[in-house]
Amino acid sequence: MREALVHTPDGIRDVYGDEMIRKAKVLDSIHHVFHTYNFRDIETPTFEFFNIFNKSIGSAPSNLMYKFFDRHNNTLVLRPDFTPGVARCVTKYYEKEELPIRICYTGNVFKNELLHQGKSNEITEAGCELINDDTSASDAEILALIIDCMKASGLEDFKIEIGEVEYFKGLMDEAGISGEEEDKLRGYIEMRNFFGLSEHADTLDIPESTRNALSGFSKLFGGLEVLDKAASFTSNERALGAIDRLRRVYKALSYYGYEDYVGFDFGMLNGYEYYTGVIFRGYTYGTGDAIIKGGRYNTMLTEFGKEAPSIGFTIIIDELMLALAAQHKSPEVKPEGYLCLYVIEAQDKAVKFAAHMRSKGHKVSLIRKSVHHELSEYEDYLDRFGIERLIFFDDSDRATMYDGKEKTLSFVGLNELFAGGEA
């Protein structure tokens, strides 16, 4: 029983020690970039009413949510996604605002994944939502923000793949396809089963141009040239409008100097019901999943009562940390701070010194020496807890200083120690 108490449920784990320090550093660097783009923090509840994340809004499937009940028998869920909660909050507090609203967040989401998939059920995310702006310039700014976040995290080798769900919807309009048949075709594209897609398209009574366009999805990924290729497959205004939008986004990104970080993929249709235009995913080496997911969702806020075009993204921090470790780009964890050790006779000097150092912004652990532990044990303690220096106050007028990084031992007078501000 006692052993069971120290374990976590399947799919979740503790994060501690150097791993937690690295994660905090990455989150801080990303959060700083959010603020440089003038996004403002929001904190939405960890759990909300079930209908906030229902199917019509396009969030996670019901069977992936952790559900429970309150005392009034309302169904509640741990948030599987940040965006619907932010949309609810924006509608409530900014209902009349017509100019752009910039929101950012960090926190955990919860998804009840199947155990054999090997995915975490509690995931740390950081993201932004730009509300009330339907321009291609806002699409480009969000992508530039993502690129700056990746660079700030330490990542150098990454790619943002951009799609446009309106292109596929335009093709479906042109062919007069909807409902189950549309879902079937989309499924082939999402699974990258282009042979199945072409074979199934041949069984449909659709224009030859649409059949050629569907068969051409296997070629619609790559650089800027893909936009011309996609345009050659259709004359549908909705589809061509989607391509024109991507051209404008690319041009705006070139002003940032970030065009080399992006590519195009018209087969990116995951989250089709959720997104209404530009959609994107970020990829790098060292992880098996996207590290960034996002896109435009112009209709979601109408579910809450506000007409507001929106675009946003989330960075999956757990996947990013895996990638940074695999690429040897993780933030360095250096020993820092002081262990201020003292015997009871020197408590006054130790406390005053610790307070003095803390007032100057230094980290200080204040510990009274136990008669059951030797000084050498406290020296070893520095390595285990990432502390740079030990200063031992005995009942003399000197302090013993041990530098854990340099592995050196020295002695210093108390007057000198206080006068210098630090050892």
Side-chain angles (χ1 to χ4, degrees):
M1 178 64 181
R2 190 172 295 175
E3 182 180 348
L5 289 175
V6 302
H7 292 293
T8 60
D10 290 331
I12 60 175
R13 68 184 186 90
D14 300 307
V15 182
Y16 65 99
D18 286 355
E19 182 184 4
M20 187 63 233
I21 294 172
R22 292 187 181 97
K23 183 175 180 179
K25 286 187 174 185
V26 168
L27 278 169
D28 284 347
S29 65
I30 288 171
H31 201 212
H32 173 72
V33 176
F34 290 173
H35 287 174
T36 65
Y37 279 70
N38 213 16
F39 282 77
R40 301 177 69 181
D41 292 292
I42 195 170
E43 185 175 279
T44 59
T46 304
F47 60 90
E48 300 211 39
F49 290 119
F50 170 70
N51 60 4
I52 296 296
F53 304 97
N54 65 31
K55 186 177 180 180
S56 64
I57 291 174
S59 195
S62 175
N63 64 343
L64 288 187
M65 298 186 200
Y66 284 99
K67 307 182 193 72
F68 55 102
F69 301 95
D70 66 12
R71 65 179 63 192
H72 305 295
N73 213 33
N74 295 307
T75 304
L76 308 176
V77 296
L78 294 176
R79 63 180 175 226
D81 178 7
F82 268 100
T83 304
V86 172
R88 173 198 57 74
C89 196
V90 166
T91 302
K92 182 177 180 180
Y93 298 109
Y94 298 95
E95 182 182 5
K96 303 299 184 183
E97 182 60 66
E98 297 180 356
L99 293 177
I101 303 165
R102 294 166 177 255
I103 299 293
C104 64
Y105 61 81
T106 58
N108 289 2
V109 297
F110 306 85
K111 294 182 180 179
N112 195 8
E113 301 278 6
L114 294 173
L115 293 181
H116 70 267
Q117 291 185 347
K119 294 184 178 180
S120 295
N121 289 3
E122 183 177 10
I123 305 157
T124 302
E125 294 186 354
C128 294
E129 313 293 341
L130 178 52
I131 317 293
N132 281 341
D133 194 336
D134 194 26
T135 63
S136 59
S138 66
D139 296 345
E141 184 181 11
I142 285 291
L143 291 165
L145 168 56
I146 291 169
I147 292 166
D148 281 339
C149 286
M150 293 299 96
K151 293 166 69 176
S153 76
L155 208 61
E156 297 175 359
D157 197 354
F158 60 92
K159 199 79 169 181
I160 312 298
E161 297 292 342
I162 310 171
E164 240 286 5
V165 298
E166 286 291 291
Y167 180 78
F168 177 76
K169 289 178 179 179
L171 296 181
M172 296 298 97
D173 287 349
E174 183 179 43
I177 296 174
S178 61
E180 290 185 11
E181 198 60 64
E182 180 180 344
D183 291 341
K184 187 177 293 185
L185 291 170
R186 189 177 78 244
Y188 281 121
I189 295 171
E190 287 178 352
M191 293 186 295
R192 306 297 200 202
N193 183 359
F194 297 118
F195 290 109
L197 174 66
S198 183
E199 186 178 54
H200 185 70
D202 288 339
T203 68
L204 302 178
D205 183 18
I206 57 177
E208 188 66 24
S209 60
T210 306
R211 186 175 288 108
N212 291 336
L214 290 171
S215 298
F217 264 93
S218 61
K219 305 180 184 71
L220 295 184
F221 60 92
L224 187 61
E225 72 283 353
V226 169
L227 302 185
D228 291 333
K229 194 175 296 182
S232 71
F233 286 129
T234 183
S235 58
N236 177 267
E237 288 186 11
R238 188 176 186 181
L240 291 174
I243 296 168
D244 182 62
R245 177 102 180 190
L246 292 180
R247 291 188 195 281
R248 284 180 279 136
V249 169
Y250 185 86
K251 184 176 182 179
L253 280 173
S254 72
Y255 299 148
Y256 290 92
Y258 286 166
E259 63 269 35
D260 290 342
Y261 288 102
V262 301
F264 299 98
D265 182 359
F266 282 84
M268 187 187 301
L269 297 176
N270 306 74
Y272 179 78
E273 299 298 333
Y274 190 106
Y275 296 112
T276 59
V278 169
I279 183 173
F280 45 83
R281 298 284 184 271
Y283 297 95
T284 189
Y285 303 106
T287 178
D289 202 357
I291 56 174
I292 300 145
K293 297 178 182 179
R296 180 162 288 283
Y297 52 97
N298 283 353
T299 60
M300 181 186 290
L301 271 77
T302 61
E303 295 287 337
F304 300 95
K306 180 178 175 65
E307 295 285 341
S310 308
I311 185 171
F313 69 91
T314 188
I315 300 170
I316 298 88
I317 300 298
D318 305 77
E319 296 293 337
L320 176 58
M321 297 306 299
L322 287 174
L324 289 169
Q327 297 178 32
H328 306 290
K329 300 290 185 182
S330 295
E332 186 178 359
V333 178
K334 297 179 180 180
E336 58 180 340
Y338 297 82
L339 168 55
C340 190
L341 187 69
Y342 63 92
V343 296
I344 189 63
E345 294 82 3
Q347 185 177 22
D348 61 332
K349 292 177 287 190
V351 169
K352 288 175 182 176
F353 180 75
H356 175 68
M357 296 300 285
R358 287 167 180 161
S359 72
K360 293 182 174 294
H362 296 285
K363 299 177 181 180
V364 182
S365 301
L366 190 61
I367 300 178
R368 194 177 81 183
K369 185 181 182 303
S370 169
V371 296
H372 302 293
H373 296 286
E374 300 297 326
L375 183 60
S376 60
E377 295 180 71
Y378 291 98
E379 292 171 1
D380 294 338
Y381 177 89
L382 300 186
D383 289 333
R384 296 200 302 276
F385 287 90
I387 302 172
E388 184 178 1
R389 289 175 177 172
L390 180 151
I391 298 179
F392 176 47
F393 291 88
D394 56 21
D395 56 359
S396 72
D397 59 355
R398 295 192 308 170
T400 304
M401 184 173 67
Y402 176 79
D403 189 314
K405 184 169 61 177
E406 301 294 336
K407 306 298 181 186
T408 58
L409 189 68
S410 58
F411 302 93
V412 60
L414 295 182
N415 291 335
E416 179 186 350
L417 194 61
F418 279 91
E422 61 180 276

